Amino acid sequence: DIRVTQSPSSLSASVGDRVTITCQASQDIANYLNWYQQKPGQAPKILIYDASNLKIGVPSRFSGSGSGTHFSLTITSLQPEDIATYYCQQFDNLLPGTFGQGTKLEIK
Amino acid sequence: EVQLLQSGGGLIQPGGSLRLSCAVSGFSVRNSYMSWVRQAPGKGPEWVSVIYSGGTTYNADSVKGRFSISRDNSKDTLFLQMNNLRIEDTAVYYCARIQTSLAYYFDFWGQGTLVTVSS
């Protein structure tokens, strides 16, 4: 089974900061890596699919990059409403694959 | 408007059974890849079961032989039958649609329902 390791597990940043979260896959997954945002009491929400494609309606301050085994999610100019937990997730041969352990983002 | 409305869940003793339902609107379950995803307290999400549009189903190893996913096309409803429940099955369970046209990702989710397995 493919594993995805996400880091850091938590992050504190100030409004306006640039924030980067990374995700490493245990084997080459090409660009089959998605990023979700989850706020307390809510279901996860898709932000980025296939590593770098921004879902329609998601603010352009969110971006994704990477391929193979190393991926990142970047938020330029952090906003108060971005406080949430972020997860990476991969699809493996059409089966929903594993989610990362999550990165809890807080305002400093 | 796409909606996924879940029902079922609650407190159940170890070894018991429970059935979750997910009634969808705005699309058809028969033409979609659908999944159940769970999230234990303080943990990341974990996919549990998936049913493809053609009817093929898969279950995660952690629930194989105990859980089964099914659907009622006439009622656009997805089900998760959970048998021989264990304490470690305690989680919020979500139904979710898998987007497949451009890429594969979970695009719509139900509101979640808490399943607590405890004696």
Side-chain angles (χ1 to χ4, degrees):
Chain A
D1 291 356
I2 299 173
R3 299 178 308 277
V4 288
T5 304
Q6 200 174 327
S7 62
S9 57
S10 64
L11 181 56
S12 182
S14 300
V15 172
D17 281 355
R18 179 186 180 94
V19 170
T20 298
I21 299 167
T22 64
C23 186
Q24 182 172 343
S26 60
Q27 64 189 70
D28 190 334
I29 58 171
N31 66 334
Y32 301 130
L33 193 285
N34 306 315
W35 290 97
Y36 299 84
Q37 176 193 67
Q38 186 178 32
K39 296 184 178 180
Q42 298 182 17
K45 169 191 168 185
I46 184 70
L47 297 176
I48 303 282
Y49 61 91
D50 277 358
S52 61
N53 294 283
L54 191 68
K55 184 74 171 70
I56 293 175
V58 174
S60 58
R61 63 181 179 274
F62 291 92
S63 65
S65 65
S67 66
T69 61
H70 285 81
F71 303 86
S72 63
L73 171 71
T74 298
I75 309 172
T76 57
S77 190
L78 183 68
Q79 299 301 303
E81 60 266 31
D82 300 335
I83 298 313
T85 300
Y86 293 83
Y87 295 97
C88 59
Q89 181 253 338
Q90 54 90 17
F91 266 82
D92 181 14
N93 284 328
L94 305 186
L95 280 176
T98 50
F99 285 80
Q101 304 93 320
T103 296
K104 187 174 183 179
L105 180 55
E106 298 174 329
I107 293 287
K108 192 181 294 183
Chain B
E1 182 189 8
V2 170
Q3 286 190 327
L4 292 79
L5 186 61
Q6 297 181 225
S7 58
L11 176 63
I12 188 76
Q13 291 187 338
S17 297
L18 213 52
R19 189 197 204 199
L20 306 183
S21 299
C22 173
V24 314
S25 58
F27 68 98
S28 172
V29 292
R30 82 172 70 199
N31 296 324
S32 303
Y33 286 19
M34 299 295 298
S35 184
W36 289 94
V37 177
R38 69 184 181 185
Q39 189 168 26
K43 302 293 185 181
E46 172 196 22
W47 82 272
V48 171
S49 296
V50 63
I51 182 167
Y52 294 154
S53 52
T56 301
T57 63
Y58 291 96
N59 295 296
D61 288 343
S62 57
V63 304
K64 205 165 287 184
R66 301 187 299 121
F67 290 13
S68 64
I69 188 172
S70 63
R71 69 190 183 202
D72 183 333
N73 294 336
S74 66
K75 296 181 179 178
D76 270 325
T77 301
L78 182 74
F79 302 101
L80 183 67
Q81 179 65 44
M82 304 184 292
N83 299 328
N84 191 20
L85 281 159
R86 304 169 179 169
I87 291 176
E88 56 264 34
D89 294 321
T90 295
V92 173
Y93 285 73
Y94 297 97
C95 57
R97 189 181 79 169
I98 300 172
Q99 169 63 246
T100 60
S101 60
L102 292 176
Y104 287 84
Y105 56 88
F106 296 106
D107 62 349
F108 291 102
W109 299 68
Q111 80 276 21
T113 187
L114 178 61
V115 173
T116 303
V117 185
S118 175
S119 55

